[in-house]
């Protein structure tokens, strides 16, 4: 055995294996591996905390589209762009802009969905020019809309609030119709009176002078009223032929019943969308595991709100959060937590009110 281990061949192979082992050995940087793992873990923790803080506070959903588009409900609808000569057939939802002309064929129906949620539905060989589609300078999500109906029938559902600028203006050869938060329909044909029926709230009607096209004294029509306006061939004013209340026949027609149903569906869709947006913006709700973390974050915001103005603004934002939470909870049927959110909202608004009252007293005593 001893002779075997001292054999020259064995000694040579042992040297070769030892040299290869030395060549293949690399330094082991254990401290670098440790700091690499520490850095990775830290980044993951930062990402997790940031994501959690964003989630508990919620966020705003981006609107799917800010466009105004034309939808074909049935039949053949043609569109002529302002910068083109040829009419094109509309096959699916198509974006439209100011200056576009829309023409409906026999038995066709179409709807224009404006970016501010106003709906305008057309039928009866309608020919309509989109004159103006602008956002309101006061509230950009509201629209300043104007269309010219040369012929046919149009149903409008306008949902804008009154900010002094927004609304829908519909012009015919006989009159100018202005509406906010209204549902109404208009029919106009060549050599026939323009007919208006108001199905909700009020519509302002300004008859036009036959020769000068100047507006005359306006008339306000309320819900369940209708009117007819006709141009005169003399220099006299255009006259209102009739103004009276609805009959059952007006509401029971296929056109009216179908559009009233579409109005309800449209409102229901908008309510569902707004609730989804509100629920997303609210974030974590009372009664959930992460809600204490949300409250802790808000306490930090209050602590770092230096100055009365910043503190008041933070309290107002928190009060709005509590109110939105209560709305979402009530919609979900959680009355207990909704009540707690409303109490918190009341406390915050009371604190803001008391501080404002104290400030007013101090200012008046100076």
């Amino acid at each position: 055995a001893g002779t075997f281990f001292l054999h020259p061949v064995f000694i040579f192979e042992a040297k070769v294996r030892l040299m290869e082992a030395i060549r293949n050995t690399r330094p082991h940087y254990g401290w670098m591996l440790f700091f690499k793992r520490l850095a990775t873990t830290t980044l993951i923790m930062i990402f997790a905390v940031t994501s959690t803080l964003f989630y508990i506070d919620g966020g705003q959903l981006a609107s799917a589209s800010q466009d105004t588009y034309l939808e074909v409900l049935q039949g053949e609808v043609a569109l002529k762009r302002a910068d083109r000569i040829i009419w094109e057939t509309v096959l699916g939802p198509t974006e439209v802009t100011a200056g576009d002309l829309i023409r409906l064929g026999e038995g066709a129906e179409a709807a224009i969905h404006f970016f501010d949620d106003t709906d305008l539905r057309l039928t009866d060989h309608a020919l309509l020019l989109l004159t103006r589609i602008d956002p309101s300078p006061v509230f950009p999500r509201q629209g300043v809309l104007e269309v010219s109906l040369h012929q046919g029938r149009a149903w409008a559902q306008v949902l804008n609030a009154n900010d002094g600028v927004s609304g829908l203006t519909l012009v015919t050869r006989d009159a100018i119709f202005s509406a906010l938060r209204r549902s109404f329909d208009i029919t106009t044909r060549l050599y026939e009176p323009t007919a208006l029926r108001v199905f909700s709230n009020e519509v302002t009607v300004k008859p036009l002078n036959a020769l000068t096209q100047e507006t005359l004294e306006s008339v306000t029509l309320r819900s369940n009223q209708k009117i007819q306006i006709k141009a005169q061939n003399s220099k006299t004013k255009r006259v209102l032929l009739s103004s009276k209340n609805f009959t059952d026949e007006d509401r029971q027609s296929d056109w009216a019943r179908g559009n009233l149903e579409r109005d309800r569906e449209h409102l229901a869709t908008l309510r569902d969308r707004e609730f989804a947006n509100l629920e997303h913006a609210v974030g974590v709700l009372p009664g959930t595991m992460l809600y204490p973390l949300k409250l802790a974050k808000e306490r930090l915001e209050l602590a770092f709100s230096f100055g009365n103005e910043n503190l008041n603004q933070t309290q107002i934002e928190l009060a709005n959060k509590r109110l939105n939470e209560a709305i979402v909870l009530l919609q979900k049927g959680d009355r207990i937590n909704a009540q707690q959110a409303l109490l918190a909202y009341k406390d915050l608004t009371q604190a803001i009110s008391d501080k404002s009252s104290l400030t007013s007293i101090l200012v008046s005593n100076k």
Side-chain angles (χ1 to χ4, degrees):
T3 304
F4 174 77
F5 284 109
L6 294 176
H7 195 278
V9 175
F10 174 79
I11 295 173
F12 175 77
E13 291 179 353
K15 288 180 179 179
V16 170
R17 286 195 296 270
L18 180 61
M19 294 301 295
E20 288 179 352
I22 292 172
R23 261 199 317 271
N24 294 331
T25 300
R26 290 183 173 84
H28 182 67
Y29 299 109
W31 62 274
M32 291 185 65
L33 181 61
F34 169 76
F35 281 109
K36 182 178 179 181
R37 289 176 178 173
L38 179 62
T40 304
T41 305
T42 304
L43 289 173
I44 292 173
M45 288 298 296
I46 292 173
F47 176 76
V49 171
T50 304
S51 301
T52 303
L53 292 177
F54 177 79
Y55 169 71
I56 64 175
D57 263 348
Q60 292 295 331
L61 286 175
S63 179
S65 174
Q66 299 292 326
D67 300 329
T68 294
Y69 66 96
L70 173 66
E71 179 187 9
V72 179
L73 302 178
Q74 67 176 31
E76 184 175 330
V77 178
L79 174 67
K80 180 181 176 299
R81 302 289 186 180
D83 57 348
R84 298 178 188 175
I85 301 176
I86 300 174
W87 288 84
E88 58 183 89
T89 301
V90 181
L91 301 177
T94 304
E95 183 182 350
V96 291
T97 59
D100 290 347
L101 191 61
I102 300 167
R103 183 181 65 195
L104 273 65
E106 179 73 28
E109 290 187 20
I112 304 172
H113 306 287
F114 291 93
F115 71 92
D116 64 349
D117 298 323
T118 293
D119 263 10
L120 186 65
R121 303 172 201 125
L122 306 171
T123 190
D124 199 15
H125 294 282
L127 180 64
L128 179 123
L129 173 67
L130 297 170
T131 310
R132 184 181 182 186
I133 307 175
D134 292 328
S136 167
V138 183
F139 298 108
R141 277 297 296 161
Q142 297 207 134
V144 183
L145 313 174
E146 183 176 325
V147 299
S148 294
L149 183 64
H150 300 292
Q151 67 178 31
R153 174 178 283 187
W155 179 287
Q157 184 186 22
V158 189
L159 301 175
N160 282 339
N162 187 8
D163 62 7
V165 184
S166 304
L168 172 68
T169 301
L170 194 151
V171 182
T172 68
R173 66 175 63 86
D174 299 310
I176 299 174
F177 305 89
S178 302
L180 276 168
R181 300 193 66 81
R182 312 289 185 256
S183 286
F184 63 93
D185 80 328
I186 290 176
T187 304
T188 183
R189 299 183 182 89
L190 190 62
Y191 308 123
E192 293 184 17
T194 295
L196 164 71
R197 297 185 299 179
V198 182
F199 287 83
S200 69
N201 297 327
E202 300 174 350
V203 174
T204 300
V205 183
K206 295 180 180 178
L208 293 171
N209 184 284
L211 299 178
T212 65
Q213 292 294 292
E214 294 177 349
T215 58
L216 307 177
E217 184 177 354
S218 64
V219 177
T220 300
L221 260 69
R222 293 175 174 80
S223 181
N224 296 324
Q225 288 187 322
K226 61 182 180 180
I227 197 171
Q228 286 186 318
I229 306 169
K230 184 179 180 181
Q232 302 297 302
N233 293 325
S234 63
K235 294 182 180 181
T236 59
K237 296 180 179 180
R238 298 185 177 208
V239 297
L240 306 179
L241 292 183
S242 62
S243 176
K244 56 186 180 180
N245 291 334
F246 276 3
T247 62
D248 290 339
E249 184 179 352
D250 290 296
R251 281 193 174 274
Q252 294 303 318
S253 65
D254 292 340
W255 169 254
R257 285 191 292 106
N259 280 290
L260 288 171
E261 180 61 30
R262 288 193 182 108
D263 283 357
R264 288 189 288 270
E265 292 174 355
H266 185 47
L267 288 174
T269 300
L270 294 180
R271 280 193 295 268
D272 291 342
R273 187 188 70 187
E274 292 304 315
F275 179 74
N277 288 340
L278 180 60
E279 186 176 14
H280 183 77
V282 162
V284 172
L285 292 170
T288 58
M289 185 175 60
L290 291 177
Y291 192 71
L293 180 60
K294 181 177 182 179
L295 295 181
K297 179 177 179 291
E298 292 175 354
R299 284 193 289 270
L300 284 175
E301 291 176 358
L302 284 171
F304 285 97
S305 296
F306 302 109
N308 288 333
E309 184 176 348
N310 288 336
L311 181 59
N312 283 342
Q313 183 61 37
T314 302
Q315 287 178 321
I316 290 171
E317 291 174 359
L318 295 182
N320 287 332
K321 286 183 180 180
R322 298 294 88 80
L323 181 59
N324 290 337
E325 287 171 358
I327 293 172
V328 173
L329 288 166
L330 285 172
Q331 186 71 18
K332 289 177 171 292
D334 189 350
R335 296 184 175 275
I336 296 176
N337 285 311
Q339 186 177 6
Q340 294 299 320
L342 286 173
L343 289 174
Y345 168 76
K346 181 181 178 181
D347 292 341
L348 284 166
T349 53
Q350 187 64 46
I352 296 168
S353 177
D354 291 345
K355 192 176 299 181
S356 300
S357 301
L358 179 59
T359 303
S360 300
I361 293 171
L362 292 175
V363 171
S364 62
N365 288 337
K366 286 184 178 181

